[in-house]
Amino acid sequence: MSIAVDVQGPKVVKPYVEKFGVTYPVAVDASDIFGQAFGLKAIPVTFLVDEVGIVRLRGEGPSRALLAQIEAILKEPQLSVRGKSPQLSAAGTKADLEQKVAATPSDWRSRLALARIQDEEGQPARAVAQLEAAAKLQPRDTSIAFVWALVLLHQGERNAALAKLKLARDLDPDNWRIRKQIWAIEHPEKFYTGDSPDYDWQNEQLSREKSHR
Amino acid sequence: MPNQELNLYVMKIILLALMLGACAHGRANEPKMIPVMEQDGTTYVASAALARGAAIAIKKLPGSDFVVACSGERCAQLKDFLNKGDELWVSTTALTKALGLSARFADGKRQVRFEVVPEEPSASDPAARVGQLAPNFRLPKLKGGTVSLADFRGKRVMIESWASW
């Protein structure tokens, strides 16, 4: 399964996939649903989930070592698993989250998770209401600012989105995903036009930002 | 007419066979009695017997000190198990607790049958950790439709996250 995690969504993913002639299905995580569930702070990250549904491997970046680990796991005997998925428990579904928020209004994590789903389902006003409530409870949380940014971005509010993204970056300065996401939105020409992103520019940009701090 | 009688007879046999088949099918889905082994006051059941008799899958992850048990939609980790012969034996107490089952012993605790107890979904930290169950997610695909991790149940799935950065 291939998941593109750019919050700008299909419009930036599609040209790339077409340019490189990717034939396998690509999923798009514009609302940070996968990103949050799998705790992504940098990209690329590879996961291997086995037949039972257990995360067996988490590897950052492509590497030979990672490939060897994957091959070793694939050689293990495979269990035959029947029935429905163990992952399909009601926990984390929209109905479950709505119920939790109603029962415990101070449950800001559930509000945040609900906002992601509402954004994905095209309900920005509801998502923002959840985020406002969550931010009141937890004003300095990176994820709340990040999700708020992507909701704004999906509404075409680029500047407001960038302000929230920068707040998220300042709350978690080592988060590469947020830092690069800001660059990609502010300087699309350095990311989406050439054959590959301009990594020299990225290094320069990083040292500029570091000297700023 | 003898021909008609014969037809009726054949039909009766077919009907009986169908009924027996339905009964056998019904019984196959019911939990069976599983042999129990007792050691130091703890009762254990063998993984192969669990798979056959209760549709409970047990898996040991290399290098870990726990096994994973799955029954239907529920999976959980257990630390209370034994390696005996070529088989894994898991504690009946740990198994019932972890998977929300009830154990009905019979024959002086020499046999047991497991039944599923309906339970409330529990709230847990959803972030994925190695060795733990993956949280499910559903995402839109670039070319339409959606994809969910649960679609891959029973298969191994590699998830590659990327951005054109």
Side-chain angles (χ1 to χ4, degrees), chain A residues 82-83, chain B residues 20-34 50-56 71-72 113-116:
Chain A
R82 280 170 294 170
Chain B
L20 277 174
C23 286
H25 182 71
R27 215 175 293 144
N29 287 341
E30 272 172 30
K32 293 192 184 102
M33 294 306 286
I34 296 167
L50 279 172
R52 272 196 313 271
I56 295 172
S71 163
R113 191 174 69 212
F114 293 102
E115 281 163 11
V116 179

Short mmCIF file of all heavy atoms in Angstrom, two decimals, chain A residues 82-83, chain B residues 20-34 50-56 71-72 113-116:
data_model
loop_
_atom_site.label_atom_id
_atom_site.label_comp_id
_atom_site.label_asym_id
_atom_site.label_seq_id
_atom_site.Cartn_x
_atom_site.Cartn_y
_atom_site.Cartn_z
N ARG A 82 -8.93 -16.31 10.04
CA ARG A 82 -10.30 -16.25 9.51
C ARG A 82 -11.07 -15.12 10.18
O ARG A 82 -10.60 -14.53 11.13
CB ARG A 82 -11.01 -17.58 9.76
CG ARG A 82 -10.62 -18.64 8.76
CD ARG A 82 -11.14 -19.98 9.19
NE ARG A 82 -10.47 -20.41 10.42
CZ ARG A 82 -10.85 -21.45 11.13
NH1 ARG A 82 -11.90 -22.13 10.78
NH2 ARG A 82 -10.19 -21.79 12.22
N GLY A 83 -12.23 -14.87 9.69
CA GLY A 83 -13.10 -13.88 10.32
C GLY A 83 -12.75 -12.47 9.92
O GLY A 83 -11.89 -12.24 9.09
N LEU B 20 -29.05 -33.15 7.76
CA LEU B 20 -27.85 -33.59 8.48
C LEU B 20 -26.70 -32.64 8.21
O LEU B 20 -25.95 -32.27 9.11
CB LEU B 20 -27.47 -35.01 8.05
CG LEU B 20 -28.24 -36.13 8.75
CD1 LEU B 20 -27.87 -37.47 8.13
CD2 LEU B 20 -27.94 -36.13 10.25
N GLY B 21 -26.60 -32.26 6.96
CA GLY B 21 -25.53 -31.34 6.55
C GLY B 21 -25.63 -30.03 7.31
O GLY B 21 -24.64 -29.54 7.84
N ALA B 22 -26.86 -29.52 7.41
CA ALA B 22 -27.07 -28.25 8.11
C ALA B 22 -26.69 -28.38 9.57
O ALA B 22 -26.07 -27.49 10.15
CB ALA B 22 -28.53 -27.82 7.95
N CYS B 23 -27.06 -29.55 10.17
CA CYS B 23 -26.73 -29.77 11.59
C CYS B 23 -25.22 -29.81 11.77
O CYS B 23 -24.67 -29.19 12.68
CB CYS B 23 -27.31 -31.10 12.07
SG CYS B 23 -29.08 -31.02 12.31
N ALA B 24 -24.55 -30.56 10.89
CA ALA B 24 -23.10 -30.71 10.99
C ALA B 24 -22.44 -29.35 10.84
O ALA B 24 -21.51 -29.01 11.56
CB ALA B 24 -22.59 -31.66 9.91
N HIS B 25 -22.99 -28.55 9.92
CA HIS B 25 -22.44 -27.23 9.67
C HIS B 25 -22.60 -26.36 10.93
O HIS B 25 -21.67 -25.72 11.38
CB HIS B 25 -23.15 -26.58 8.49
CG HIS B 25 -22.60 -25.23 8.14
ND1 HIS B 25 -21.36 -25.09 7.56
CD2 HIS B 25 -23.09 -23.99 8.34
CE1 HIS B 25 -21.13 -23.80 7.40
NE2 HIS B 25 -22.16 -23.11 7.85
N GLY B 26 -23.80 -26.42 11.49
CA GLY B 26 -24.07 -25.65 12.70
C GLY B 26 -23.13 -26.05 13.82
O GLY B 26 -22.60 -25.20 14.52
N ARG B 27 -22.89 -27.34 13.95
CA ARG B 27 -22.03 -27.84 15.01
C ARG B 27 -20.58 -27.38 14.79
O ARG B 27 -19.86 -27.12 15.74
CB ARG B 27 -22.13 -29.36 15.09
CG ARG B 27 -22.03 -29.86 16.50
CD ARG B 27 -22.25 -31.36 16.54
NE ARG B 27 -23.60 -31.75 16.19
CZ ARG B 27 -23.90 -32.85 15.51
NH1 ARG B 27 -22.94 -33.64 15.06
NH2 ARG B 27 -25.14 -33.15 15.25
N ALA B 28 -20.18 -27.32 13.50
CA ALA B 28 -18.80 -26.95 13.20
C ALA B 28 -18.49 -25.54 13.68
O ALA B 28 -17.37 -25.24 14.06
CB ALA B 28 -18.54 -27.06 11.70
N ASN B 29 -19.51 -24.68 13.67
CA ASN B 29 -19.28 -23.31 14.09
C ASN B 29 -19.35 -23.13 15.61
O ASN B 29 -18.97 -22.10 16.13
CB ASN B 29 -20.29 -22.37 13.43
CG ASN B 29 -19.95 -22.20 11.96
OD1 ASN B 29 -18.83 -22.47 11.55
ND2 ASN B 29 -20.93 -21.77 11.18
N GLU B 30 -19.88 -24.13 16.30
CA GLU B 30 -19.96 -24.03 17.75
C GLU B 30 -18.61 -24.36 18.37
O GLU B 30 -17.87 -25.16 17.84
CB GLU B 30 -20.99 -25.05 18.26
CG GLU B 30 -22.39 -24.49 18.27
CD GLU B 30 -23.39 -25.57 18.58
OE1 GLU B 30 -23.04 -26.52 19.31
OE2 GLU B 30 -24.51 -25.47 18.08
N PRO B 31 -18.31 -23.73 19.53
CA PRO B 31 -17.04 -24.05 20.17
C PRO B 31 -17.02 -25.51 20.64
O PRO B 31 -18.03 -26.02 21.13
CB PRO B 31 -16.98 -23.09 21.35
CG PRO B 31 -18.35 -22.58 21.55
CD PRO B 31 -19.07 -22.70 20.25
N LYS B 32 -15.88 -26.16 20.47
CA LYS B 32 -15.75 -27.56 20.87
C LYS B 32 -15.03 -27.65 22.20
O LYS B 32 -14.39 -26.70 22.66
CB LYS B 32 -14.92 -28.31 19.81
CG LYS B 32 -15.61 -28.43 18.47
CD LYS B 32 -14.86 -29.44 17.60
CE LYS B 32 -15.46 -29.52 16.22
NZ LYS B 32 -14.68 -28.79 15.22
N MET B 33 -15.08 -28.83 22.80
CA MET B 33 -14.32 -29.08 24.02
C MET B 33 -12.86 -29.26 23.65
O MET B 33 -12.54 -29.93 22.66
CB MET B 33 -14.84 -30.33 24.73
CG MET B 33 -16.27 -30.21 25.27
SD MET B 33 -16.57 -28.80 26.35
CE MET B 33 -15.75 -29.32 27.85
N ILE B 34 -12.00 -28.66 24.42
CA ILE B 34 -10.57 -28.69 24.14
C ILE B 34 -9.85 -29.32 25.33
O ILE B 34 -10.15 -28.97 26.48
CB ILE B 34 -10.05 -27.25 23.91
CG1 ILE B 34 -10.72 -26.67 22.66
CG2 ILE B 34 -8.53 -27.19 23.78
CD1 ILE B 34 -10.52 -25.18 22.52
N LEU B 50 -6.73 -25.07 19.97
CA LEU B 50 -7.49 -23.81 19.98
C LEU B 50 -7.92 -23.42 18.57
O LEU B 50 -9.03 -22.97 18.34
CB LEU B 50 -6.65 -22.68 20.58
CG LEU B 50 -6.58 -22.61 22.10
CD1 LEU B 50 -5.57 -21.57 22.52
CD2 LEU B 50 -7.95 -22.27 22.67
N ALA B 51 -6.98 -23.60 17.62
CA ALA B 51 -7.28 -23.25 16.24
C ALA B 51 -8.40 -24.14 15.71
O ALA B 51 -9.34 -23.66 15.07
CB ALA B 51 -6.02 -23.40 15.38
N ARG B 52 -8.33 -25.43 16.01
CA ARG B 52 -9.33 -26.37 15.51
C ARG B 52 -10.67 -26.22 16.22
O ARG B 52 -11.71 -26.16 15.58
CB ARG B 52 -8.84 -27.81 15.75
CG ARG B 52 -7.99 -28.39 14.64
CD ARG B 52 -7.90 -29.91 14.79
NE ARG B 52 -7.58 -30.33 16.14
CZ ARG B 52 -6.33 -30.49 16.61
NH1 ARG B 52 -5.31 -30.26 15.83
NH2 ARG B 52 -6.12 -30.88 17.84
N GLY B 53 -10.60 -26.15 17.54
CA GLY B 53 -11.83 -26.24 18.32
C GLY B 53 -12.50 -24.92 18.64
O GLY B 53 -13.68 -24.89 18.95
N ALA B 54 -11.74 -23.82 18.60
CA ALA B 54 -12.34 -22.56 19.01
C ALA B 54 -12.06 -21.43 18.03
O ALA B 54 -12.40 -20.28 18.31
CB ALA B 54 -11.82 -22.18 20.40
N ALA B 55 -11.42 -21.75 16.89
CA ALA B 55 -11.05 -20.74 15.89
C ALA B 55 -10.25 -19.60 16.52
O ALA B 55 -10.42 -18.44 16.19
CB ALA B 55 -12.28 -20.21 15.15
N ILE B 56 -9.39 -19.97 17.47
CA ILE B 56 -8.50 -18.98 18.09
C ILE B 56 -7.10 -19.22 17.55
O ILE B 56 -6.57 -20.32 17.66
CB ILE B 56 -8.52 -19.09 19.64
CG1 ILE B 56 -9.91 -18.73 20.17
CG2 ILE B 56 -7.46 -18.17 20.25
CD1 ILE B 56 -10.10 -18.99 21.64
N SER B 71 -9.16 -13.99 18.21
CA SER B 71 -10.43 -14.67 18.10
C SER B 71 -11.39 -13.72 17.39
O SER B 71 -11.73 -12.68 17.94
CB SER B 71 -10.96 -15.01 19.50
OG SER B 71 -12.34 -15.30 19.43
N GLY B 72 -11.76 -14.06 16.18
CA GLY B 72 -12.63 -13.16 15.42
C GLY B 72 -11.98 -11.81 15.27
O GLY B 72 -10.86 -11.71 14.80
N ARG B 113 -14.30 -25.39 27.20
CA ARG B 113 -14.92 -24.82 26.01
C ARG B 113 -14.93 -23.30 26.19
O ARG B 113 -15.25 -22.80 27.27
CB ARG B 113 -16.35 -25.34 25.87
CG ARG B 113 -16.98 -25.02 24.53
CD ARG B 113 -18.33 -25.68 24.39
NE ARG B 113 -19.29 -25.07 25.31
CZ ARG B 113 -20.30 -25.74 25.87
NH1 ARG B 113 -20.46 -27.02 25.66
NH2 ARG B 113 -21.14 -25.12 26.68
N PHE B 114 -14.57 -22.59 25.15
CA PHE B 114 -14.51 -21.12 25.25
C PHE B 114 -15.70 -20.49 24.54
O PHE B 114 -16.04 -20.88 23.43
CB PHE B 114 -13.22 -20.58 24.63
CG PHE B 114 -11.99 -20.97 25.39
CD1 PHE B 114 -11.18 -22.00 24.94
CD2 PHE B 114 -11.67 -20.33 26.57
CE1 PHE B 114 -10.05 -22.37 25.64
CE2 PHE B 114 -10.54 -20.69 27.29
CZ PHE B 114 -9.73 -21.73 26.82
N GLU B 115 -16.28 -19.51 25.19
CA GLU B 115 -17.38 -18.78 24.57
C GLU B 115 -17.09 -17.29 24.59
O GLU B 115 -16.50 -16.79 25.55
CB GLU B 115 -18.69 -19.07 25.30
CG GLU B 115 -19.27 -20.41 24.89
CD GLU B 115 -20.32 -20.93 25.86
OE1 GLU B 115 -20.75 -20.15 26.74
OE2 GLU B 115 -20.67 -22.11 25.74
N VAL B 116 -17.53 -16.62 23.54
CA VAL B 116 -17.26 -15.19 23.43
C VAL B 116 -18.24 -14.40 24.29
O VAL B 116 -19.44 -14.65 24.26
CB VAL B 116 -17.38 -14.73 21.96
CG1 VAL B 116 -17.14 -13.22 21.84
CG2 VAL B 116 -16.38 -15.48 21.10
#
